[in-house]
Amino acid sequence: MSEKSVPVDKELYSTLSIGTYSFPAEIFHDDLDEYANNFVNWHQQKQVEISLILEGEAWVQVLERKIKVGAGEVFLVFPDALHTLKKGDGKSAKYRTIIFDPVMLYGYKGSFYYEKYYRTFASAQPFYHFADTGKSWEREAVEDLSWLFAHFGDASHHRELLICERLQRLWLTMCRNLFDNRGDVDYSIQEQQRITVLLNFLHEHYREKFTLDQLAASAHISKGECCRFFKKMIHMTPWEYLLEYRLSRSLELLDKKDLSISEIAEMTGFSTVSYYITAFKKKMGDTPLGYRKNRLK
């Protein structure tokens, strides 16, 4: 069986198709056992993502925040936030997700709904989470989310209107009880801008050899501050992230049968083919050639 991954572009934005232009929403059913090393690769998207853990537990990391979520718990990721999921210590980790363009909530940017019920919370922090601890609003939110999963594919004549109605109701519940009680913002706008600069440098130069001095200079900070700040925000060193990114880029190239393993290694910035094969096997549990053969089955 082939191992899943989220297809991404050079900026790590997901290239998955989400619904249609006229109705930009989609439901996904996921099992972390189906992903390589039980790990969803780093990615971001232009849509809102709301997930409900159905079984087991998983680690969810959004930039520098990392939490463990279990069955019955919900997490929400706003657009443009790098995030990843990894299986917890249990035997399974299954979850369902609705991904949708936030225009379904606010109509258009600049509207009253955009300013009061979306932008305020999206700009405060990129990630929210809640567990069903017995409060009525938590149960209502989980029920609304479960309804969306169960009825998204209905053939009802008013299907789209019913989905939007339930989505709006879920959002209102979170506005009243989750967003308004969000607590302290985890990092500033300046920090978000700085990490974006550093990530953009890595994404643009991942094929090349460069120094930590050059990376730090792109954000006008020292080498020491660069390492400290990067670790705080991403929970990895710049070099650990660069390796993850190079491996992610190589996954796309492995689908192109006309490229050799040595060509892919060179195109994704690995110094030697042997280093690429070793790093790939450690991450994916198989060699690049073995992975390619399994994909073609």
Side-chain angles (χ1 to χ4, degrees), residues 39 63 98 100 113 138 170 180 192 254 266 278 287 295:
F39 177 85
L63 291 177
I98 181 168
F100 61 93
Y113 304 99
E138 294 168 341
L170 171 62
D180 288 341
Q192 294 181 56
L254 284 167
E266 182 179 358
T278 300
T287 64
R295 295 278 288 182

Side-chain angles (χ1 to χ4, degrees), residues 200-293:
N200 284 343
F201 181 93
L202 292 174
H203 297 167
E204 291 174 8
H205 300 280
Y206 75 97
R207 299 183 185 90
E208 311 162 13
K209 290 183 179 179
F210 57 85
T211 66
L212 183 58
D213 279 316
Q214 290 172 304
L215 175 62
S218 70
H220 307 290
I221 54 179
S222 68
K223 290 192 297 183
E225 173 63 9
C226 178
C227 291
R228 183 203 65 78
F229 175 72
F230 202 97
K231 184 80 172 179
K232 171 194 171 186
M233 297 295 286
I234 306 296
H235 279 249
M236 290 189 244
T237 68
W239 307 125
E240 288 170 339
Y241 178 86
L242 180 62
L243 176 60
E244 289 278 350
Y245 186 75
R246 283 171 168 165
L247 289 171
S248 294
R249 301 302 296 174
S250 78
L251 289 175
E252 301 171 33
L253 298 177
L254 284 167
D255 286 335
K256 300 180 179 181
K257 294 181 288 185
D258 57 322
L259 292 175
S260 69
I261 302 303
S262 60
E263 287 175 321
I264 292 172
E266 182 179 358
M267 291 170 67
T268 50
F270 287 93
S271 55
T272 65
V273 180
S274 61
Y275 175 46
Y276 169 54
I277 294 173
T278 300
F280 191 96
K281 188 171 183 178
K282 182 178 180 181
K283 170 71 177 177
M284 306 296 290
D286 200 355
T287 64
L289 188 58
Y291 176 86
R292 171 181 273 174
K293 289 179 178 178

Side-chain angles (χ1 to χ4, degrees), residues 49-99:
E49 172 179 335
I50 307 178
S51 296
L52 170 65
I53 303 295
L54 301 176
E55 181 182 318
E57 59 184 22
W59 285 99
V60 181
Q61 184 174 340
V62 184
L63 291 177
E64 91 287 8
R65 288 190 63 190
K66 185 176 182 180
I67 66 166
K68 182 182 284 188
V69 292
E73 297 185 55
V74 176
F75 63 90
L76 178 153
V77 182
F78 276 100
D80 307 315
L82 274 170
H83 61 285
T84 183
L85 282 84
K86 188 169 185 177
K87 186 177 175 181
D89 299 327
K91 294 182 179 180
S92 65
K94 297 180 181 179
Y95 59 102
R96 287 184 181 176
T97 302
I98 181 168
I99 299 180

Side-chain angles (χ1 to χ4, degrees), residues 181-192:
N181 298 318
R182 60 189 177 273
D184 296 331
V185 175
D186 293 301
Y187 49 83
S188 67
I189 293 175
Q190 289 74 22
E191 286 178 312
Q192 294 181 56

Side-chain angles (χ1 to χ4, degrees), residues 46-48 76-80 100-103 105-106 109 112-124 128 171 175 179:
K46 292 295 185 183
Q47 300 86 14
V48 174
L76 178 153
V77 182
F78 276 100
D80 307 315
F100 61 93
D101 191 318
V103 72
L105 295 171
Y106 57 70
K109 285 188 176 180
F112 174 84
Y113 304 99
Y114 172 78
E115 294 295 335
K116 185 172 182 179
Y117 297 112
Y118 180 79
R119 187 184 66 81
T120 302
F121 311 118
S123 61
Y128 294 84
W171 200 262
C175 283
F179 299 153

